Amino acid sequence: MIDGILIGLENLFEPMHLIILLLAMMIGFLGGALPGISGTMIVIILLPVSYGLDTISAFILLTTIYAASVFSGLISAILFRTPGTPEAVATVFDGYPMTQQGKPGQALGIGILSSATGGVIGTLILIFLTPLLASFALNFSSPEYFALAVLGLTVVASLSGGNLIQGFIGVGLGLFIATIGMDPLSGTERFTFGSLGLIGGIDLIPVLIGLFAISEVLRKSKQDHSIKEEMQKVKTKIFDRKIFSRIKNTIFRSAILGISIGILPGVGATTAAMISYSEATRWSKNKEAFGTGVPEGIAAPEAANNAGAMGAMVPLLALGIPGSATTAVILGAFVLHGLQPGPMLMSDEPGLVYTIFMSLLAVNILIIVFAKPFIRMFSKIMKVPYTALGPAIIVFCIIGTFAVRNSVFDIWIMLLFGLIGYYLDKMKFPLAAIILGIVLGPIAEVEFRRAFQMSQGDISIFLTRPISAVLLGLALIAFILPLINKIKKTKKS
């Protein structure tokens, strides 16, 4: 391992590799921060470019963009209530309210520190414990995946602003949206109504962009933008001893939780951020404050999604199984370069693997250095009149949505959900609950059915397997406790 780390550092500090690293960071920052454009899309666009580079340069480019874009999604999430990447969805819940309070710099500082810390912790665990984490992920089968998804769905209790009925309606709507398209196991069409556009299902990206970005543009177009004057000068303060002492436990707990979820193939950093936000709420003594602009509400998802993104590299490198959408693209890059990720990659190409490790570690450390200058440049967009900025955001959203699947139908879906999000937001409906259902719904459905196939219809499989039983028990407790607390408050009042 020590030899591999030294080889990785030697490769990384070659002048050309350093230039590629820094260039890829800026590209990743920009791709993650711009509304409607994600790291996955940037990696896809640059995949043909990587083919013209040597193997080490190619994977420094792609993995650096991946890590940088996961971080920079928080910038537009905090400043504009528009998550730059799906991983930053949960950051909106408390990041944007803090901006509305006139504290965007503090919110960004918390996000930067949490992202860098979570990313560094995730990378160190990736380097030193990859074999152990890969073997742990192998212990998870369908019952465990289903139980994890159910545990994640209980976050609705903390995202519904005290209105559990609205929260469960939102989750139910999200779960329904997730079922549209081809049945993942049988291939049967579901709720397509003969539409060719719906056969492939409704993608997360147009729904996400519509609910949060388009609806926000519509909402802001009818508002007084006096707060915009206060937000024009964003002074980002990263190291605040008082804030750090408050959020340090949340950061470390969320980072560990994030990488633990991230290593599970197919789950991804978005789910890690959602579940970590939920856990931060449960650990808090002031649960009602979440969603109003509390530091823990930014620290938890940002530490988790950056750590989870590093965790998603574990099944890719150790097992040859992509842990997320972007790592699936990176898997294609390995094949393009004539390599097969998996157990033999560590022994056949240790120099490449450890160079990837070192580049990911360097990116997460350099976030602290380059984030402030980038935000200073990016925040100048806020000086543009909203009559110009609003249409520009919509154009970026349309381009980003179309580029994901080259589908005009997705653009119409995005615009439809923009209108739905606008009216639901006026009703104070928890939009995050819908996203939660869409993200976790496919995991819950597929793994539930596979578990039943494994047990030949015996439901006890979820209780006889220790890990799934513990996860379901935690989900039950998480569901019951808010109800008990609400009953107690009602009786007390």
Side-chain angles (χ1 to χ4, degrees):
M1 183 181 288
I2 292 172
D3 289 343
I5 290 172
L6 292 175
I7 292 170
L9 287 171
E10 183 182 349
N11 288 335
L12 183 63
F13 282 105
E14 287 185 16
M16 181 55 67
H17 292 163
L18 274 178
I19 292 171
I20 290 173
L21 178 83
L22 296 175
L23 181 63
M25 275 192 70
M26 292 299 107
I27 294 171
F29 280 177
L30 197 62
L34 287 173
I37 299 177
S38 66
T40 305
M41 190 183 77
I42 299 293
V43 170
I44 290 171
I45 291 171
L46 292 179
L47 199 57
V49 176
S50 74
Y51 189 63
L53 302 172
D54 66 88
T55 306
I56 290 177
S57 297
F59 286 98
I60 289 175
L61 175 72
L62 298 178
T63 55
T64 299
I65 289 172
Y66 173 46
S69 65
V70 171
F71 150 72
S72 64
L74 72 87
I75 298 172
S76 52
I78 288 172
L79 296 181
F80 304 118
R81 196 190 174 217
T82 307
T85 59
E87 293 88 351
V89 174
T91 309
V92 172
F93 306 153
D94 283 276
Y96 188 69
M98 195 174 284
T99 295
Q100 289 180 309
Q101 295 165 16
K103 298 185 286 186
Q106 186 183 88
L108 289 168
I110 293 166
I112 293 167
L113 183 61
S114 304
S115 296
T117 307
V120 168
I121 292 172
T123 309
L124 290 175
I125 294 175
L126 170 67
I127 294 168
F128 293 107
L129 296 178
T130 294
L132 178 61
L133 291 173
S135 63
F136 177 73
L138 285 173
N139 292 329
F140 274 67
S141 188
S142 293
E144 287 76 22
Y145 281 123
F146 170 71
L148 182 67
V150 171
L151 179 62
L153 287 170
T154 61
V155 72
V156 68
S158 56
L159 296 183
S160 56
N163 193 329
L164 284 175
I165 294 175
Q166 281 193 352
F168 283 115
I169 291 172
V171 165
L173 180 58
L175 291 171
F176 170 71
I177 292 168
T179 64
I180 296 173
M182 299 287 283
D183 185 300
L185 297 183
S186 69
T188 307
E189 290 185 26
R190 302 188 301 191
F191 305 112
T192 59
F193 305 104
S195 170
L196 293 176
L198 289 174
I199 289 177
I202 295 180
D203 194 61
L204 172 65
I205 299 299
V207 177
L208 180 66
I209 292 174
L211 286 178
F212 284 98
I214 302 298
S215 67
E216 179 66 6
V217 172
L218 292 174
R219 189 179 67 84
K220 277 197 169 184
S221 66
K222 294 192 172 185
Q223 282 188 350
D224 175 28
H225 305 297
S226 55
I227 190 169
K228 179 173 171 291
E229 298 301 320
E230 301 171 21
M231 292 162 54
Q232 282 184 359
K233 292 184 179 179
V234 179
K235 294 184 178 179
T236 308
K237 187 175 183 181
I238 298 175
F239 297 104
D240 186 319
R241 186 175 297 178
K242 185 178 178 181
I243 293 291
F244 180 71
S245 64
R246 176 176 171 177
I247 63 174
K248 61 182 180 182
N249 292 335
T250 301
I251 291 175
F252 290 113
R253 185 171 60 245
S254 299
I256 299 300
L257 182 60
I259 194 166
S260 301
I261 295 170
I263 63 172
L264 303 175
V267 178
T270 305
T271 305
M274 286 285 194
I275 293 176
S276 293
Y277 185 88
S278 168
E279 294 309 307
T281 307
R282 287 175 192 146
W283 282 75
S284 175
K285 295 178 181 178
N286 189 17
K287 296 177 175 59
E288 293 77 11
F290 275 73
T292 64
V294 295
E296 294 87 349
I298 301 172
E302 283 306 313
N305 62 25
N306 284 266
M310 301 303 99
M313 295 294 293
V314 173
L316 174 67
L317 297 174
L319 307 173
I321 301 170
S324 65
T326 313
T327 53
V329 178
I330 295 173
L331 173 63
F334 274 109
V335 175
L336 195 66
H337 285 265
L339 298 169
Q340 181 58 52
M344 297 303 294
L345 188 66
M346 292 285 290
S347 56
D348 293 345
E349 298 284 346
L352 172 62
V353 173
Y354 279 97
T355 303
I356 291 173
F357 288 161
M358 292 301 103
S359 66
L360 290 172
L361 184 62
V363 170
N364 285 294
I365 293 172
L366 290 173
I367 282 172
I368 296 286
V369 179
F370 290 104
K372 284 180 71 174
F374 177 78
I375 289 170
R376 200 174 298 122
M377 178 190 75
F378 186 78
S379 64
K380 294 184 186 301
I381 297 173
M382 299 171 68
K383 296 183 179 180
V384 178
Y386 205 78
T387 51
L389 182 59
I393 290 175
I394 291 176
V395 169
F396 278 122
C397 290
I398 291 172
I399 293 171
T401 299
F402 179 78
V404 174
R405 300 197 298 184
N406 293 329
S407 171
V408 175
F409 184 78
D410 281 351
I411 296 175
W412 289 111
I413 292 291
M414 176 198 72
L415 296 174
L416 173 64
F417 276 93
L419 290 172
I420 292 172
Y422 172 70
Y423 286 107
L424 289 179
D425 192 50
K426 287 180 72 174
M427 294 160 49
K428 306 297 181 185
F429 193 90
L431 299 178
I434 300 174
I435 299 299
L436 189 72
I438 297 174
V439 170
L440 298 180
I443 300 171
E445 181 198 2
V446 171
E447 302 305 341
F448 179 77
R449 292 166 65 183
R450 282 179 180 162
F452 260 78
Q453 290 174 353
M454 287 170 56
S455 66
Q456 296 181 339
D458 185 2
I459 198 170
S460 65
I461 190 173
F462 298 107
L463 303 176
T464 54
R465 296 173 70 97
I467 297 176
S468 65
V470 170
L471 291 173
L472 288 173
L474 291 173
L476 182 62
I477 293 169
F479 174 71
I480 291 174
L481 278 180
L483 295 176
I484 294 173
N485 291 334
K486 193 169 183 179
I487 291 169
K488 282 183 178 179
K489 284 181 181 179
T490 305
K491 285 184 177 180
K492 191 175 180 181
S493 62

mmCIF file with all atom_site columns, all heavy atoms in Angstrom, residues 49-65:
data_model
loop_
_atom_site.group_PDB
_atom_site.id
_atom_site.type_symbol
_atom_site.label_atom_id
_atom_site.label_alt_id
_atom_site.label_comp_id
_atom_site.label_asym_id
_atom_site.label_entity_id
_atom_site.label_seq_id
_atom_site.pdbx_PDB_ins_code
_atom_site.Cartn_x
_atom_site.Cartn_y
_atom_site.Cartn_z
_atom_site.occupancy
_atom_site.B_iso_or_equiv
_atom_site.pdbx_formal_charge
_atom_site.auth_seq_id
_atom_site.auth_comp_id
_atom_site.auth_asym_id
_atom_site.auth_atom_id
_atom_site.pdbx_PDB_model_num
ATOM 1   N N   . VAL A 1 49 ? -12.784 12.799 -25.372 1.00 0.00 ? 49 VAL A N   1
ATOM 2   C CA  . VAL A 1 49 ? -11.516 13.520 -25.209 1.00 0.00 ? 49 VAL A CA  1
ATOM 3   C C   . VAL A 1 49 ? -10.515 12.661 -24.448 1.00 0.00 ? 49 VAL A C   1
ATOM 4   O O   . VAL A 1 49 ? -9.306  12.638 -24.769 1.00 0.00 ? 49 VAL A O   1
ATOM 5   C CB  . VAL A 1 49 ? -11.748 14.850 -24.460 1.00 0.00 ? 49 VAL A CB  1
ATOM 6   C CG1 . VAL A 1 49 ? -10.432 15.565 -24.187 1.00 0.00 ? 49 VAL A CG1 1
ATOM 7   C CG2 . VAL A 1 49 ? -12.689 15.745 -25.263 1.00 0.00 ? 49 VAL A CG2 1
ATOM 8   N N   . SER A 1 50 ? -11.005 11.934 -23.433 1.00 0.00 ? 50 SER A N   1
ATOM 9   C CA  . SER A 1 50 ? -10.106 11.114 -22.614 1.00 0.00 ? 50 SER A CA  1
ATOM 10  C C   . SER A 1 50 ? -9.442  10.008 -23.423 1.00 0.00 ? 50 SER A C   1
ATOM 11  O O   . SER A 1 50 ? -8.354  9.531  -23.075 1.00 0.00 ? 50 SER A O   1
ATOM 12  C CB  . SER A 1 50 ? -10.870 10.504 -21.439 1.00 0.00 ? 50 SER A CB  1
ATOM 13  O OG  . SER A 1 50 ? -11.708 9.434  -21.869 1.00 0.00 ? 50 SER A OG  1
ATOM 14  N N   . TYR A 1 51 ? -10.098 9.595  -24.489 1.00 0.00 ? 51 TYR A N   1
ATOM 15  C CA  . TYR A 1 51 ? -9.540  8.514  -25.312 1.00 0.00 ? 51 TYR A CA  1
ATOM 16  C C   . TYR A 1 51 ? -8.241  8.953  -25.985 1.00 0.00 ? 51 TYR A C   1
ATOM 17  O O   . TYR A 1 51 ? -7.375  8.126  -26.288 1.00 0.00 ? 51 TYR A O   1
ATOM 18  C CB  . TYR A 1 51 ? -10.568 8.079  -26.363 1.00 0.00 ? 51 TYR A CB  1
ATOM 19  C CG  . TYR A 1 51 ? -10.177 6.831  -27.113 1.00 0.00 ? 51 TYR A CG  1
ATOM 20  C CD1 . TYR A 1 51 ? -10.033 5.619  -26.441 1.00 0.00 ? 51 TYR A CD1 1
ATOM 21  C CD2 . TYR A 1 51 ? -9.937  6.858  -28.489 1.00 0.00 ? 51 TYR A CD2 1
ATOM 22  C CE1 . TYR A 1 51 ? -9.663  4.468  -27.129 1.00 0.00 ? 51 TYR A CE1 1
ATOM 23  C CE2 . TYR A 1 51 ? -9.575  5.708  -29.185 1.00 0.00 ? 51 TYR A CE2 1
ATOM 24  C CZ  . TYR A 1 51 ? -9.437  4.517  -28.492 1.00 0.00 ? 51 TYR A CZ  1
ATOM 25  O OH  . TYR A 1 51 ? -9.074  3.375  -29.169 1.00 0.00 ? 51 TYR A OH  1
ATOM 26  N N   . GLY A 1 52 ? -8.108  10.248 -26.210 1.00 0.00 ? 52 GLY A N   1
ATOM 27  C CA  . GLY A 1 52 ? -6.886  10.766 -26.835 1.00 0.00 ? 52 GLY A CA  1
ATOM 28  C C   . GLY A 1 52 ? -5.754  10.997 -25.859 1.00 0.00 ? 52 GLY A C   1
ATOM 29  O O   . GLY A 1 52 ? -4.647  11.368 -26.266 1.00 0.00 ? 52 GLY A O   1
ATOM 30  N N   . LEU A 1 53 ? -6.004  10.802 -24.553 1.00 0.00 ? 53 LEU A N   1
ATOM 31  C CA  . LEU A 1 53 ? -4.975  10.984 -23.527 1.00 0.00 ? 53 LEU A CA  1
ATOM 32  C C   . LEU A 1 53 ? -4.420  9.632  -23.108 1.00 0.00 ? 53 LEU A C   1
ATOM 33  O O   . LEU A 1 53 ? -5.019  8.589  -23.341 1.00 0.00 ? 53 LEU A O   1
ATOM 34  C CB  . LEU A 1 53 ? -5.573  11.683 -22.305 1.00 0.00 ? 53 LEU A CB  1
ATOM 35  C CG  . LEU A 1 53 ? -6.211  13.062 -22.521 1.00 0.00 ? 53 LEU A CG  1
ATOM 36  C CD1 . LEU A 1 53 ? -6.921  13.520 -21.250 1.00 0.00 ? 53 LEU A CD1 1
ATOM 37  C CD2 . LEU A 1 53 ? -5.159  14.089 -22.936 1.00 0.00 ? 53 LEU A CD2 1
ATOM 38  N N   . ASP A 1 54 ? -3.245  9.664  -22.435 1.00 0.00 ? 54 ASP A N   1
ATOM 39  C CA  . ASP A 1 54 ? -2.753  8.423  -21.851 1.00 0.00 ? 54 ASP A CA  1
ATOM 40  C C   . ASP A 1 54 ? -3.661  8.023  -20.688 1.00 0.00 ? 54 ASP A C   1
ATOM 41  O O   . ASP A 1 54 ? -4.431  8.843  -20.178 1.00 0.00 ? 54 ASP A O   1
ATOM 42  C CB  . ASP A 1 54 ? -1.302  8.581  -21.378 1.00 0.00 ? 54 ASP A CB  1
ATOM 43  C CG  . ASP A 1 54 ? -1.162  9.556  -20.221 1.00 0.00 ? 54 ASP A CG  1
ATOM 44  O OD1 . ASP A 1 54 ? -1.290  9.114  -19.069 1.00 0.00 ? 54 ASP A OD1 1
ATOM 45  O OD2 . ASP A 1 54 ? -0.967  10.766 -20.493 1.00 0.00 ? 54 ASP A OD2 1
ATOM 46  N N   . THR A 1 55 ? -3.579  6.768  -20.263 1.00 0.00 ? 55 THR A N   1
ATOM 47  C CA  . THR A 1 55 ? -4.541  6.221  -19.303 1.00 0.00 ? 55 THR A CA  1
ATOM 48  C C   . THR A 1 55 ? -4.577  7.003  -18.003 1.00 0.00 ? 55 THR A C   1
ATOM 49  O O   . THR A 1 55 ? -5.661  7.338  -17.506 1.00 0.00 ? 55 THR A O   1
ATOM 50  C CB  . THR A 1 55 ? -4.196  4.744  -19.003 1.00 0.00 ? 55 THR A CB  1
ATOM 51  O OG1 . THR A 1 55 ? -4.118  4.027  -20.232 1.00 0.00 ? 55 THR A OG1 1
ATOM 52  C CG2 . THR A 1 55 ? -5.266  4.114  -18.132 1.00 0.00 ? 55 THR A CG2 1
ATOM 53  N N   . ILE A 1 56 ? -3.416  7.319  -17.449 1.00 0.00 ? 56 ILE A N   1
ATOM 54  C CA  . ILE A 1 56 ? -3.382  8.023  -16.160 1.00 0.00 ? 56 ILE A CA  1
ATOM 55  C C   . ILE A 1 56 ? -3.982  9.416  -16.296 1.00 0.00 ? 56 ILE A C   1
ATOM 56  O O   . ILE A 1 56 ? -4.796  9.845  -15.471 1.00 0.00 ? 56 ILE A O   1
ATOM 57  C CB  . ILE A 1 56 ? -1.939  8.080  -15.617 1.00 0.00 ? 56 ILE A CB  1
ATOM 58  C CG1 . ILE A 1 56 ? -1.497  6.676  -15.177 1.00 0.00 ? 56 ILE A CG1 1
ATOM 59  C CG2 . ILE A 1 56 ? -1.836  9.059  -14.447 1.00 0.00 ? 56 ILE A CG2 1
ATOM 60  C CD1 . ILE A 1 56 ? -0.063  6.594  -14.702 1.00 0.00 ? 56 ILE A CD1 1
ATOM 61  N N   . SER A 1 57 ? -3.608  10.147 -17.351 1.00 0.00 ? 57 SER A N   1
ATOM 62  C CA  . SER A 1 57 ? -4.161  11.497 -17.568 1.00 0.00 ? 57 SER A CA  1
ATOM 63  C C   . SER A 1 57 ? -5.671  11.442 -17.733 1.00 0.00 ? 57 SER A C   1
ATOM 64  O O   . SER A 1 57 ? -6.400  12.290 -17.200 1.00 0.00 ? 57 SER A O   1
ATOM 65  C CB  . SER A 1 57 ? -3.527  12.131 -18.813 1.00 0.00 ? 57 SER A CB  1
ATOM 66  O OG  . SER A 1 57 ? -2.144  12.297 -18.652 1.00 0.00 ? 57 SER A OG  1
ATOM 67  N N   . ALA A 1 58 ? -6.149  10.437 -18.468 1.00 0.00 ? 58 ALA A N   1
ATOM 68  C CA  . ALA A 1 58 ? -7.583  10.310 -18.731 1.00 0.00 ? 58 ALA A CA  1
ATOM 69  C C   . ALA A 1 58 ? -8.367  10.136 -17.439 1.00 0.00 ? 58 ALA A C   1
ATOM 70  O O   . ALA A 1 58 ? -9.400  10.790 -17.232 1.00 0.00 ? 58 ALA A O   1
ATOM 71  C CB  . ALA A 1 58 ? -7.843  9.132  -19.668 1.00 0.00 ? 58 ALA A CB  1
ATOM 72  N N   . PHE A 1 59 ? -7.868  9.302  -16.536 1.00 0.00 ? 59 PHE A N   1
ATOM 73  C CA  . PHE A 1 59 ? -8.627  9.028  -15.314 1.00 0.00 ? 59 PHE A CA  1
ATOM 74  C C   . PHE A 1 59 ? -8.432  10.101 -14.248 1.00 0.00 ? 59 PHE A C   1
ATOM 75  O O   . PHE A 1 59 ? -9.295  10.286 -13.393 1.00 0.00 ? 59 PHE A O   1
ATOM 76  C CB  . PHE A 1 59 ? -8.307  7.624  -14.796 1.00 0.00 ? 59 PHE A CB  1
ATOM 77  C CG  . PHE A 1 59 ? -8.955  6.563  -15.635 1.00 0.00 ? 59 PHE A CG  1
ATOM 78  C CD1 . PHE A 1 59 ? -8.255  5.901  -16.627 1.00 0.00 ? 59 PHE A CD1 1
ATOM 79  C CD2 . PHE A 1 59 ? -10.305 6.280  -15.487 1.00 0.00 ? 59 PHE A CD2 1
ATOM 80  C CE1 . PHE A 1 59 ? -8.857  4.959  -17.436 1.00 0.00 ? 59 PHE A CE1 1
ATOM 81  C CE2 . PHE A 1 59 ? -10.932 5.338  -16.288 1.00 0.00 ? 59 PHE A CE2 1
ATOM 82  C CZ  . PHE A 1 59 ? -10.212 4.679  -17.263 1.00 0.00 ? 59 PHE A CZ  1
ATOM 83  N N   . ILE A 1 60 ? -7.326  10.834 -14.294 1.00 0.00 ? 60 ILE A N   1
ATOM 84  C CA  . ILE A 1 60 ? -7.211  12.026 -13.456 1.00 0.00 ? 60 ILE A CA  1
ATOM 85  C C   . ILE A 1 60 ? -8.270  13.041 -13.881 1.00 0.00 ? 60 ILE A C   1
ATOM 86  O O   . ILE A 1 60 ? -8.957  13.644 -13.053 1.00 0.00 ? 60 ILE A O   1
ATOM 87  C CB  . ILE A 1 60 ? -5.795  12.646 -13.553 1.00 0.00 ? 60 ILE A CB  1
ATOM 88  C CG1 . ILE A 1 60 ? -4.775  11.753 -12.835 1.00 0.00 ? 60 ILE A CG1 1
ATOM 89  C CG2 . ILE A 1 60 ? -5.784  14.053 -12.944 1.00 0.00 ? 60 ILE A CG2 1
ATOM 90  C CD1 . ILE A 1 60 ? -3.332  12.236 -12.978 1.00 0.00 ? 60 ILE A CD1 1
ATOM 91  N N   . LEU A 1 61 ? -8.423  13.221 -15.203 1.00 0.00 ? 61 LEU A N   1
ATOM 92  C CA  . LEU A 1 61 ? -9.410  14.155 -15.746 1.00 0.00 ? 61 LEU A CA  1
ATOM 93  C C   . LEU A 1 61 ? -10.828 13.790 -15.310 1.00 0.00 ? 61 LEU A C   1
ATOM 94  O O   . LEU A 1 61 ? -11.551 14.614 -14.738 1.00 0.00 ? 61 LEU A O   1
ATOM 95  C CB  . LEU A 1 61 ? -9.313  14.171 -17.274 1.00 0.00 ? 61 LEU A CB  1
ATOM 96  C CG  . LEU A 1 61 ? -10.358 15.002 -18.017 1.00 0.00 ? 61 LEU A CG  1
ATOM 97  C CD1 . LEU A 1 61 ? -10.094 16.485 -17.830 1.00 0.00 ? 61 LEU A CD1 1
ATOM 98  C CD2 . LEU A 1 61 ? -10.374 14.650 -19.510 1.00 0.00 ? 61 LEU A CD2 1
ATOM 99  N N   . LEU A 1 62 ? -11.228 12.543 -15.540 1.00 0.00 ? 62 LEU A N   1
ATOM 100 C CA  . LEU A 1 62 ? -12.614 12.137 -15.308 1.00 0.00 ? 62 LEU A CA  1
ATOM 101 C C   . LEU A 1 62 ? -12.960 12.079 -13.824 1.00 0.00 ? 62 LEU A C   1
ATOM 102 O O   . LEU A 1 62 ? -14.018 12.548 -13.401 1.00 0.00 ? 62 LEU A O   1
ATOM 103 C CB  . LEU A 1 62 ? -12.877 10.782 -15.970 1.00 0.00 ? 62 LEU A CB  1
ATOM 104 C CG  . LEU A 1 62 ? -12.713 10.737 -17.495 1.00 0.00 ? 62 LEU A CG  1
ATOM 105 C CD1 . LEU A 1 62 ? -12.954 9.331  -18.023 1.00 0.00 ? 62 LEU A CD1 1
ATOM 106 C CD2 . LEU A 1 62 ? -13.648 11.724 -18.188 1.00 0.00 ? 62 LEU A CD2 1
ATOM 107 N N   . THR A 1 63 ? -12.085 11.496 -13.010 1.00 0.00 ? 63 THR A N   1
ATOM 108 C CA  . THR A 1 63 ? -12.391 11.363 -11.575 1.00 0.00 ? 63 THR A CA  1
ATOM 109 C C   . THR A 1 63 ? -12.328 12.712 -10.852 1.00 0.00 ? 63 THR A C   1
ATOM 110 O O   . THR A 1 63 ? -13.079 12.939 -9.907  1.00 0.00 ? 63 THR A O   1
ATOM 111 C CB  . THR A 1 63 ? -11.445 10.354 -10.900 1.00 0.00 ? 63 THR A CB  1
ATOM 112 O OG1 . THR A 1 63 ? -10.083 10.724 -11.129 1.00 0.00 ? 63 THR A OG1 1
ATOM 113 C CG2 . THR A 1 63 ? -11.670 8.956  -11.440 1.00 0.00 ? 63 THR A CG2 1
ATOM 114 N N   . THR A 1 64 ? -11.453 13.611 -11.323 1.00 0.00 ? 64 THR A N   1
ATOM 115 C CA  . THR A 1 64 ? -11.380 14.950 -10.713 1.00 0.00 ? 64 THR A CA  1
ATOM 116 C C   . THR A 1 64 ? -12.649 15.739 -11.002 1.00 0.00 ? 64 THR A C   1
ATOM 117 O O   . THR A 1 64 ? -13.193 16.413 -10.121 1.00 0.00 ? 64 THR A O   1
ATOM 118 C CB  . THR A 1 64 ? -10.138 15.711 -11.225 1.00 0.00 ? 64 THR A CB  1
ATOM 119 O OG1 . THR A 1 64 ? -8.962  14.996 -10.857 1.00 0.00 ? 64 THR A OG1 1
ATOM 120 C CG2 . THR A 1 64 ? -10.074 17.110 -10.623 1.00 0.00 ? 64 THR A CG2 1
ATOM 121 N N   . ILE A 1 65 ? -13.121 15.681 -12.241 1.00 0.00 ? 65 ILE A N   1
ATOM 122 C CA  . ILE A 1 65 ? -14.380 16.346 -12.590 1.00 0.00 ? 65 ILE A CA  1
ATOM 123 C C   . ILE A 1 65 ? -15.511 15.794 -11.729 1.00 0.00 ? 65 ILE A C   1
ATOM 124 O O   . ILE A 1 65 ? -16.352 16.544 -11.214 1.00 0.00 ? 65 ILE A O   1
ATOM 125 C CB  . ILE A 1 65 ? -14.695 16.169 -14.085 1.00 0.00 ? 65 ILE A CB  1
ATOM 126 C CG1 . ILE A 1 65 ? -13.721 16.995 -14.930 1.00 0.00 ? 65 ILE A CG1 1
ATOM 127 C CG2 . ILE A 1 65 ? -16.138 16.577 -14.404 1.00 0.00 ? 65 ILE A CG2 1
ATOM 128 C CD1 . ILE A 1 65 ? -13.829 16.736 -16.414 1.00 0.00 ? 65 ILE A CD1 1
#
